[in-house]
Amino acid sequence: MTYELLTALALFAFVSSITPGPNNLMLMASGANFGFRRTIPHMLGVALGFVFMVLLVGAGLVQVFDAFPVSYTVLKAVSVVYLLWLAWKIANAAPVEARGADGRPMTFLQAAAFQWVNPKAWAMALTAISAYTPDQTLAAILLVGVVFGAINLPSVGSWTVLGQQMARLLTSRRRLMLFNWTMALLLVASLYPVIWPQ
């Protein structure tokens, strides 16, 4: 991979990782509701789960979707339904004290598995592999995974920190409820490009 292509890949990884999307909105909500430390498994699940996804897409998973175009439609439908369910859960989350033992952030495995129904993650992985591994060699695919791993974790972590800092303002049940509903509505809004593509 040339220096220019590597620079472009790093820029793409940063912009696509730092901009709002389902992962970042959920991490912000988790940071506000549970704090940074308790959200670490969620952050690691997002970062490492996405790297694993990139590697599998690069290894040929995309060819399965090309061979069976209906699978794109099925994936889209599952993604929309699951994200709507997550938005409902975020909107109706009770304050941590009221939740007791039932209140916990997304686990590492849940966050890693979520990448497979996250429309933004699919768009990022498909673009990264098709645009930045023109020769489709194992070394190029691994390099894309490493670059995303190095850039994605600090990017998603910044959203968790933002949520944690916002928790200082969310000192009443009403403010927390308003914040959670706002995050849920933004999560639903992130589905717009999936439901109505340009």
Side-chain angles (χ1 to χ4, degrees), residues 76-77 80 84 119 185 187-198:
K76 184 189 291 189
V80 167
L84 289 173
L185 290 172
L187 187 57
V188 171
S190 75
L191 290 171
Y192 177 81
V194 176
I195 299 171
W196 292 285
Q198 297 289 324

Side-chain angles (χ1 to χ4, degrees), residues 55-156:
L55 296 177
L56 286 184
V57 168
L61 186 62
V62 71
Q63 293 169 357
V64 174
F65 285 98
D66 289 341
F68 303 99
V70 71
S71 58
Y72 282 113
T73 305
V74 171
L75 178 64
K76 184 189 291 189
V78 170
S79 298
V80 167
V81 169
Y82 187 66
L83 282 169
L84 289 173
W85 178 78
L86 282 174
W88 177 253
K89 295 278 284 181
I90 290 170
N92 292 288
V96 175
E97 319 82 61
R99 282 182 239 147
D102 292 338
R104 60 186 139 225
M106 194 176 268
T107 67
F108 173 86
L109 290 177
Q110 288 170 332
F114 173 70
Q115 303 319 299
W116 297 93
V117 293
N118 180 353
K120 184 181 177 188
W122 275 105
M124 289 165 60
L126 292 170
T127 301
I129 292 301
S130 60
Y132 300 103
T133 60
D135 51 3
Q136 297 284 307
T137 63
L138 179 60
I141 292 166
L142 287 173
L143 184 58
V144 169
V146 167
V147 168
F148 262 100
I151 292 174
N152 190 268
L153 185 58
S155 297
V156 299

